[in-house]
Amino acid sequence: MNAHTRTLLTVICEAALEHKLEADLQALGAPGWTLSDARGSGSRGVRSAEWNTDGNIRLEVICSREIAERIAEHLQARYYEHFAMVCYLAEVQVLRPEKF
């Protein structure tokens, strides 16, 4: 096995941001991403459907550390103050480095 190190950027946030985040990722150089619905509980508790019926999404990007940090810094500056969002980075090993 010939594994290569990349960075996994994971973002969990309000589904209402999906289209804005996709545009941001493209502009910031993400090579690709995966989006899925997400459910759970955290410091903000369970959100009431009365004010948000969209739920949450989980966005994952595998890329270079440089690109992951650029995206994370952008998300923090643009969205953290006004939206429920969690973002974290982790090192991962990939077997097809040319894809990331």
Side-chain angles (χ1 to χ4, degrees):
M1 181 172 73
N2 193 12
H4 302 267
T5 302
R6 295 294 184 269
T7 299
L8 169 63
L9 166 68
T10 302
V11 180
I12 301 169
C13 66
E14 300 172 38
L17 292 174
E18 180 175 340
H19 297 297
K20 289 181 180 182
L21 293 178
E22 288 177 327
D24 290 343
L25 292 175
Q26 189 168 11
L28 293 166
W33 53 87
T34 300
L35 267 168
S36 56
D37 292 327
R39 292 184 301 277
S41 178
S43 64
R44 294 182 180 239
V46 178
R47 288 187 284 151
S48 169
E50 294 173 10
W51 67 271
N52 186 342
T53 59
D54 290 338
N56 291 327
I57 57 172
R58 178 185 182 116
L59 172 68
E60 296 177 306
V61 181
I62 299 174
C63 55
S64 69
R65 185 73 182 196
E66 177 187 345
I67 291 173
E69 288 179 358
R70 180 183 327 143
I71 294 168
E73 288 171 1
H74 172 80
L75 298 180
Q76 184 178 23
R78 185 165 183 187
Y79 300 109
Y80 269 34
E81 185 176 349
H82 300 289
F83 295 94
M85 179 178 282
V86 174
C87 180
Y88 55 91
L89 306 172
E91 274 193 7
V92 295
Q93 300 296 309
V94 299
L95 301 179
R96 296 168 70 184
E98 68 278 0
K99 296 191 65 75
F100 309 102

